[in-house]
Amino acid sequence: MINKTFESMRQAVADIHDGATVMIGGFGNAGMPSALIDALIDQGARELTIVNNNAGNGETGLAALLKARRVRKIICSFPRQSDSHHFDALYRAGEIELELTPQGNLAERIRAAGAGIGGFFSPTGYGTLLAEGKETRVINGRNYVLESPIHADFALIKALRGDRWGNLVYRKSARNFGPVMAMAAKVTIAQVKDIVALGELDPEVIVTPGIFVQRVVKEGCL
């Protein structure tokens, strides 16, 4: 019997190793799997490479992971905002590496990894510092930059509901990066509000099929 449910957040993240590349879903706080991040902080993995849209804000979620000094490098599109003080302090002190990627390129680089695409040409970033060291090409009279896919060892995502096979549905804009990250990681761990019985999720509304999810854990199960 296929059963991908885990009893606790701690159990679900127990094997995330030092130096792992971890994708974390969310657009700001929308769709951020805060409970899984808290469990990861307690678990103690260090020297992580984090892939996320931003670099944390406030004191919770990704910001708390940065504050705990568990992150060696972050790949994101929006590292600074009014309350990204933990990232700011680490970056100014030279204690974290930043790979800045335009948001559309970030999403497509993640999607490319899940789709098995070896690279793609994007016009975004051409002629800027973001294109330094990358192959460029003129296609139909327009300048493009070669971008590489982003693969991950683990993805931590948040969904509204899931079943024991790992099928997921999301709540509105909280979907954001979750579906593409689930496809791009070797192990996808989904934090969900509810775990429902098989058959309760309408196949027509399932966004992430269970084939891309290895672990499902219900919120509140620490």
Side-chain angles (χ1 to χ4, degrees):
M1 182 179 70
I2 298 175
N3 187 356
K4 299 178 181 179
T5 60
F6 275 59
E7 294 182 358
S8 69
M9 300 286 173
R10 292 188 180 93
Q11 183 187 44
V13 304
D15 61 344
I16 297 180
H17 53 85
D18 291 354
T21 297
V22 183
M23 292 179 175
I24 298 179
F27 190 92
N29 290 325
M32 179 176 289
S34 296
L36 284 173
I37 296 172
D38 288 344
L40 179 58
I41 295 171
D42 291 341
Q43 186 255 32
R46 297 180 176 276
E47 295 292 306
L48 301 172
T49 294
I50 298 297
V51 183
N52 185 261
N53 181 63
N54 65 308
N57 57 292
E59 298 291 336
T60 61
L62 178 55
L65 187 66
L66 293 171
K67 182 180 180 180
R69 287 176 161 73
R70 302 296 175 74
V71 181
R72 179 188 64 82
K73 176 180 178 180
I74 188 163
I75 304 172
C76 70
S77 69
F78 188 64
R80 297 197 65 210
Q81 54 195 61
S82 61
D83 57 353
S84 60
H85 42 268
H86 290 303
F87 169 78
D88 286 355
L90 291 169
Y91 187 73
R92 292 177 189 277
E95 296 180 16
I96 190 170
E97 180 182 347
L98 169 66
E99 181 179 332
L100 187 64
T101 303
Q103 191 172 90
N105 285 357
L106 177 67
E108 186 64 5
R109 290 179 67 190
I110 297 169
R111 191 198 69 82
I117 296 171
F120 62 93
F121 284 94
S122 170
T124 306
Y126 181 87
T128 73
L129 292 174
L130 298 177
E132 285 191 354
K134 298 179 181 178
E135 179 183 342
T136 61
R137 187 174 297 185
V138 178
I139 303 174
N140 293 328
R142 192 174 185 185
N143 296 311
Y144 289 83
V145 181
L146 179 63
E147 296 289 347
S148 59
I150 302 175
H151 298 268
D153 300 301
F154 298 88
L156 308 182
I157 64 174
K158 180 179 179 179
L160 181 62
R161 286 186 291 273
D163 59 27
R164 64 177 174 84
W165 282 1
N167 298 308
L168 303 177
V169 297
Y170 301 82
R171 185 181 186 276
K172 300 181 179 180
S173 62
R175 175 190 307 189
N176 51 72
F177 287 88
V180 289
M181 286 184 171
M183 296 173 63
K186 296 175 183 177
V187 177
T188 295
I189 308 170
Q191 167 187 327
V192 298
K193 183 177 180 181
D194 295 301
I195 297 177
V196 302
L198 289 179
E200 285 193 31
L201 297 179
D202 181 350
E204 294 296 327
V205 300
I206 290 173
V207 177
T208 298
I211 192 171
F212 297 118
V213 178
Q214 284 70 46
R215 302 170 191 174
V216 181
V217 58
K218 184 177 179 180
E219 292 178 0
C221 299
L222 302 179

mmCIF file of all heavy atoms in Angstrom, residues 4 10-11 19-20 23 32 56 82 119 144 150-152 158 162 170 173 187 204 207:
data_model
loop_
_atom_site.group_PDB
_atom_site.id
_atom_site.type_symbol
_atom_site.label_atom_id
_atom_site.label_comp_id
_atom_site.label_asym_id
_atom_site.label_seq_id
_atom_site.Cartn_x
_atom_site.Cartn_y
_atom_site.Cartn_z
ATOM 1 N N LYS A 4 2.356 7.858 1.823
ATOM 2 C CA LYS A 4 3.447 8.819 1.918
ATOM 3 C C LYS A 4 3.288 9.765 3.107
ATOM 4 O O LYS A 4 4.052 10.718 3.239
ATOM 5 C CB LYS A 4 3.542 9.623 0.620
ATOM 6 C CG LYS A 4 3.823 8.749 -0.604
ATOM 7 C CD LYS A 4 3.871 9.561 -1.881
ATOM 8 C CE LYS A 4 4.123 8.660 -3.082
ATOM 9 N NZ LYS A 4 4.146 9.429 -4.354
ATOM 10 N N ARG A 10 9.179 16.825 12.137
ATOM 11 C CA ARG A 10 10.558 16.438 12.449
ATOM 12 C C ARG A 10 10.963 15.163 11.721
ATOM 13 O O ARG A 10 12.078 15.048 11.214
ATOM 14 C CB ARG A 10 10.717 16.262 13.960
ATOM 15 C CG ARG A 10 10.611 17.545 14.762
ATOM 16 C CD ARG A 10 10.965 17.321 16.220
ATOM 17 N NE ARG A 10 10.874 18.547 17.002
ATOM 18 C CZ ARG A 10 9.798 18.938 17.665
ATOM 19 N NH1 ARG A 10 8.714 18.174 17.650
ATOM 20 N NH2 ARG A 10 9.787 20.066 18.354
ATOM 21 N N GLN A 11 10.051 14.196 11.694
ATOM 22 C CA GLN A 11 10.329 12.950 10.992
ATOM 23 C C GLN A 11 10.504 13.192 9.499
ATOM 24 O O GLN A 11 11.374 12.596 8.851
ATOM 25 C CB GLN A 11 9.192 11.959 11.242
ATOM 26 C CG GLN A 11 9.417 10.584 10.622
ATOM 27 C CD GLN A 11 8.201 9.696 10.745
ATOM 28 O OE1 GLN A 11 7.076 10.132 10.510
ATOM 29 N NE2 GLN A 11 8.418 8.446 11.131
ATOM 30 N N GLY A 19 24.817 20.747 3.730
ATOM 31 C CA GLY A 19 25.211 21.039 2.360
ATOM 32 C C GLY A 19 24.151 20.768 1.321
ATOM 33 O O GLY A 19 24.410 20.938 0.116
ATOM 34 N N ALA A 20 22.960 20.366 1.728
ATOM 35 C CA ALA A 20 21.896 20.052 0.781
ATOM 36 C C ALA A 20 21.378 21.314 0.092
ATOM 37 O O ALA A 20 21.441 22.417 0.639
ATOM 38 C CB ALA A 20 20.740 19.347 1.490
ATOM 39 N N MET A 23 14.811 23.626 -1.907
ATOM 40 C CA MET A 23 13.853 24.598 -2.414
ATOM 41 C C MET A 23 12.755 24.801 -1.374
ATOM 42 O O MET A 23 12.275 23.841 -0.775
ATOM 43 C CB MET A 23 13.230 24.107 -3.726
ATOM 44 C CG MET A 23 14.209 24.062 -4.873
ATOM 45 S SD MET A 23 13.447 23.459 -6.402
ATOM 46 C CE MET A 23 14.813 23.693 -7.546
ATOM 47 N N MET A 32 4.337 29.715 2.237
ATOM 48 C CA MET A 32 5.595 29.313 2.855
ATOM 49 C C MET A 32 5.342 28.195 3.876
ATOM 50 O O MET A 32 4.493 28.340 4.752
ATOM 51 C CB MET A 32 6.283 30.486 3.558
ATOM 52 C CG MET A 32 7.584 30.087 4.237
ATOM 53 S SD MET A 32 8.486 31.463 4.975
ATOM 54 C CE MET A 32 9.051 32.297 3.491
ATOM 55 N N GLY A 56 13.626 35.889 2.883
ATOM 56 C CA GLY A 56 13.072 35.932 4.225
ATOM 57 C C GLY A 56 12.644 37.322 4.641
ATOM 58 O O GLY A 56 13.222 38.318 4.200
ATOM 59 N N SER A 82 11.731 45.706 3.294
ATOM 60 C CA SER A 82 11.870 46.543 4.484
ATOM 61 C C SER A 82 12.254 45.762 5.740
ATOM 62 O O SER A 82 12.937 46.283 6.621
ATOM 63 C CB SER A 82 10.578 47.311 4.739
ATOM 64 O OG SER A 82 9.491 46.419 4.954
ATOM 65 N N GLY A 119 18.767 23.364 -20.482
ATOM 66 C CA GLY A 119 19.021 24.796 -20.443
ATOM 67 C C GLY A 119 18.065 25.486 -21.399
ATOM 68 O O GLY A 119 17.413 24.836 -22.231
ATOM 69 N N TYR A 144 19.747 36.838 -26.441
ATOM 70 C CA TYR A 144 19.332 35.919 -25.384
ATOM 71 C C TYR A 144 20.538 35.470 -24.558
ATOM 72 O O TYR A 144 21.672 35.487 -25.021
ATOM 73 C CB TYR A 144 18.656 34.674 -25.977
ATOM 74 C CG TYR A 144 17.294 34.921 -26.561
ATOM 75 C CD1 TYR A 144 17.154 35.406 -27.862
ATOM 76 C CD2 TYR A 144 16.141 34.662 -25.821
ATOM 77 C CE1 TYR A 144 15.895 35.631 -28.408
ATOM 78 C CE2 TYR A 144 14.882 34.878 -26.356
ATOM 79 C CZ TYR A 144 14.763 35.364 -27.648
ATOM 80 O OH TYR A 144 13.518 35.584 -28.171
ATOM 81 N N ILE A 150 17.745 24.542 -12.274
ATOM 82 C CA ILE A 150 18.091 24.446 -10.852
ATOM 83 C C ILE A 150 17.482 23.167 -10.303
ATOM 84 O O ILE A 150 16.262 23.012 -10.259
ATOM 85 C CB ILE A 150 17.558 25.646 -10.042
ATOM 86 C CG1 ILE A 150 18.093 26.958 -10.604
ATOM 87 C CG2 ILE A 150 17.942 25.497 -8.573
ATOM 88 C CD1 ILE A 150 17.497 28.191 -9.922
ATOM 89 N N HIS A 151 18.335 22.236 -9.907
ATOM 90 C CA HIS A 151 17.896 20.994 -9.279
ATOM 91 C C HIS A 151 18.044 21.106 -7.763
ATOM 92 O O HIS A 151 18.827 21.917 -7.278
ATOM 93 C CB HIS A 151 18.727 19.814 -9.789
ATOM 94 C CG HIS A 151 18.605 19.573 -11.260
ATOM 95 N ND1 HIS A 151 17.679 18.708 -11.801
ATOM 96 C CD2 HIS A 151 19.302 20.085 -12.307
ATOM 97 C CE1 HIS A 151 17.809 18.691 -13.113
ATOM 98 N NE2 HIS A 151 18.782 19.520 -13.456
ATOM 99 N N ALA A 152 17.312 20.297 -7.037
ATOM 100 C CA ALA A 152 17.400 20.342 -5.574
ATOM 101 C C ALA A 152 17.387 18.930 -5.003
ATOM 102 O O ALA A 152 16.829 17.998 -5.591
ATOM 103 C CB ALA A 152 16.250 21.148 -4.989
ATOM 104 N N LYS A 158 4.064 23.958 0.635
ATOM 105 C CA LYS A 158 2.835 23.989 1.418
ATOM 106 C C LYS A 158 1.643 23.870 0.481
ATOM 107 O O LYS A 158 1.577 24.552 -0.543
ATOM 108 C CB LYS A 158 2.743 25.290 2.215
ATOM 109 C CG LYS A 158 1.498 25.408 3.069
ATOM 110 C CD LYS A 158 1.503 26.717 3.850
ATOM 111 C CE LYS A 158 0.259 26.870 4.704
ATOM 112 N NZ LYS A 158 0.274 28.135 5.483
ATOM 113 N N GLY A 162 -3.977 17.164 0.852
ATOM 114 C CA GLY A 162 -3.272 16.090 0.176
ATOM 115 C C GLY A 162 -3.851 14.757 0.593
ATOM 116 O O GLY A 162 -4.609 14.676 1.571
ATOM 117 N N TYR A 170 -3.926 23.254 -3.877
ATOM 118 C CA TYR A 170 -3.430 24.441 -3.201
ATOM 119 C C TYR A 170 -4.565 25.449 -2.984
ATOM 120 O O TYR A 170 -5.632 25.337 -3.574
ATOM 121 C CB TYR A 170 -2.327 25.108 -4.028
ATOM 122 C CG TYR A 170 -1.145 24.220 -4.305
ATOM 123 C CD1 TYR A 170 -1.172 23.294 -5.364
ATOM 124 C CD2 TYR A 170 0.009 24.283 -3.543
ATOM 125 C CE1 TYR A 170 -0.095 22.473 -5.628
ATOM 126 C CE2 TYR A 170 1.098 23.474 -3.806
ATOM 127 C CZ TYR A 170 1.040 22.566 -4.849
ATOM 128 O OH TYR A 170 2.110 21.753 -5.107
ATOM 129 N N SER A 173 -3.414 31.836 -4.473
ATOM 130 C CA SER A 173 -2.045 32.243 -4.813
ATOM 131 C C SER A 173 -0.984 31.582 -3.961
ATOM 132 O O SER A 173 0.221 31.711 -4.244
ATOM 133 C CB SER A 173 -1.902 33.770 -4.708
ATOM 134 O OG SER A 173 -2.133 34.199 -3.387
ATOM 135 N N VAL A 187 13.490 14.807 -3.454
ATOM 136 C CA VAL A 187 12.533 14.480 -2.399
ATOM 137 C C VAL A 187 11.681 15.712 -2.121
ATOM 138 O O VAL A 187 12.209 16.762 -1.729
ATOM 139 C CB VAL A 187 13.236 14.044 -1.093
ATOM 140 C CG1 VAL A 187 12.206 13.791 0.012
ATOM 141 C CG2 VAL A 187 14.083 12.805 -1.328
ATOM 142 N N GLU A 204 -9.736 16.447 -11.376
ATOM 143 C CA GLU A 204 -9.675 17.621 -12.240
ATOM 144 C C GLU A 204 -9.055 18.827 -11.547
ATOM 145 O O GLU A 204 -8.657 19.790 -12.209
ATOM 146 C CB GLU A 204 -11.083 17.979 -12.729
ATOM 147 C CG GLU A 204 -11.705 16.932 -13.642
ATOM 148 C CD GLU A 204 -10.927 16.769 -14.944
ATOM 149 O OE1 GLU A 204 -10.361 17.766 -15.435
ATOM 150 O OE2 GLU A 204 -10.887 15.644 -15.481
ATOM 151 N N VAL A 207 -3.410 19.642 -8.602
ATOM 152 C CA VAL A 207 -2.393 20.443 -9.284
ATOM 153 C C VAL A 207 -1.072 19.692 -9.344
ATOM 154 O O VAL A 207 -0.430 19.621 -10.394
ATOM 155 C CB VAL A 207 -2.205 21.799 -8.583
ATOM 156 C CG1 VAL A 207 -1.089 22.601 -9.253
ATOM 157 C CG2 VAL A 207 -3.505 22.586 -8.584
#
